Amino acid sequence: MSTAIQTLIDGPAGPLEIAFQQPATAATALALICHPHPVHGGTMDNKVVQTLAKAFLELGYATMRFNFRGVGKSAGSFDEGIGETEDAAAALAWARAQVSPSLPLIAAGFSFGCFVQSRLLPRSQPQQLVLVGPAVSRFQLAEVPKDTLVVHGEEDDVVPLDAVMTWARPQGLPVNVFPGTGHFFHGRLTELKAVVKRNCRL
């Protein structure tokens, strides 16, 4: 059986609520997953975030979800992505200490979480980056690696697909478009998990 730990760790703004899970066998990678916008109800228990965690766990990877400052039991208040990047760095450092330091890293984000992962890139240097519903129309995402997995809904009413294509095109990034799908992938989470599993085998 997999082992799950939900607890509070030391974060840059005070206690940071995390949910860390390891597969039944020795993990072959570590996945850090960042949730959507804290001010608009985003938490580590968001269904897309949980779907990403399930996909990675089924691949045999350890997974780290956490609540940004001001969400759930995490101390602090919203900091426009700046403090949230430090939250992510703290969660990653704690997770790395639980597994072999040589494990490859997958950095995944949903919506606002994609912005945070892009800010953390110079420090985290993941082997794979996964961006679901990246909030490129609301935040300035840095250029990302060419092998980044980008998934977006055709009918996203929060971040228009056109905005994602405009951001991705100059980078030569392919975008996996889910036809007829909105921002939260309602009714399509099983397919989302399958796409992630197919593209994230390290």
Side-chain angles (χ1 to χ4, degrees):
M1 284 183 60
S2 63
T3 56
I5 299 171
Q6 188 153 345
T7 189
L8 297 175
I9 65 170
D10 291 333
L16 190 69
E17 187 177 16
I18 63 112
F20 178 73
Q21 196 160 4
Q22 296 213 57
T25 56
T28 55
L30 170 64
L32 175 73
I33 308 155
C34 291
H35 71 69
H37 206 300
V39 176
H40 302 297
T43 78
M44 67 177 179
D45 293 324
N46 169 274
K47 288 185 179 179
V48 171
V49 172
Q50 288 187 320
T51 296
L52 290 169
K54 287 175 185 174
F56 296 134
L57 194 65
E58 288 176 13
L59 287 170
Y61 307 158
T63 65
M64 168 60 95
R65 294 178 293 124
F66 65 98
N67 277 330
F68 287 126
R69 55 188 62 199
V71 177
K73 296 177 182 176
S74 292
S77 57
F78 182 61
D79 193 31
E80 306 293 339
I82 299 167
E84 287 76 12
T85 303
E86 300 311 311
D87 295 340
L92 176 58
W94 188 93
R96 280 200 186 281
Q98 312 308 308
V99 298
S100 167
S102 62
L103 285 188
L105 173 68
I106 293 183
F110 173 40
S111 197
F112 170 80
C114 299
F115 171 57
V116 173
Q117 289 285 22
S118 78
R119 295 190 81 253
L120 190 61
L121 275 179
R123 285 185 277 169
S124 62
Q125 298 188 329
Q127 277 65 44
Q128 175 80 60
L129 181 63
V130 179
L131 305 179
V132 179
V136 297
S137 60
R138 299 178 175 224
F139 300 95
Q140 185 67 46
L141 265 71
E143 188 168 320
V144 299
K146 301 297 183 190
D147 62 351
T148 297
L149 174 62
V150 182
V151 185
H152 209 78
E154 179 189 24
E155 297 179 3
D156 193 317
D157 56 344
V158 176
V159 183
L161 176 59
D162 283 352
V164 175
M165 298 306 295
T166 298
W167 167 77
R169 195 174 293 114
Q171 301 181 65
L173 281 177
V175 178
N176 288 260
V177 179
F178 274 51
T181 301
H183 190 63
F184 295 97
F185 291 82
H186 292 309
R188 307 294 293 277
L189 293 174
T190 300
E191 294 166 69
L192 175 62
K193 185 170 77 166
V195 166
V196 170
K197 288 179 69 175
R198 191 163 58 244
N199 288 275
C200 295
R201 296 181 183 278
L202 297 180

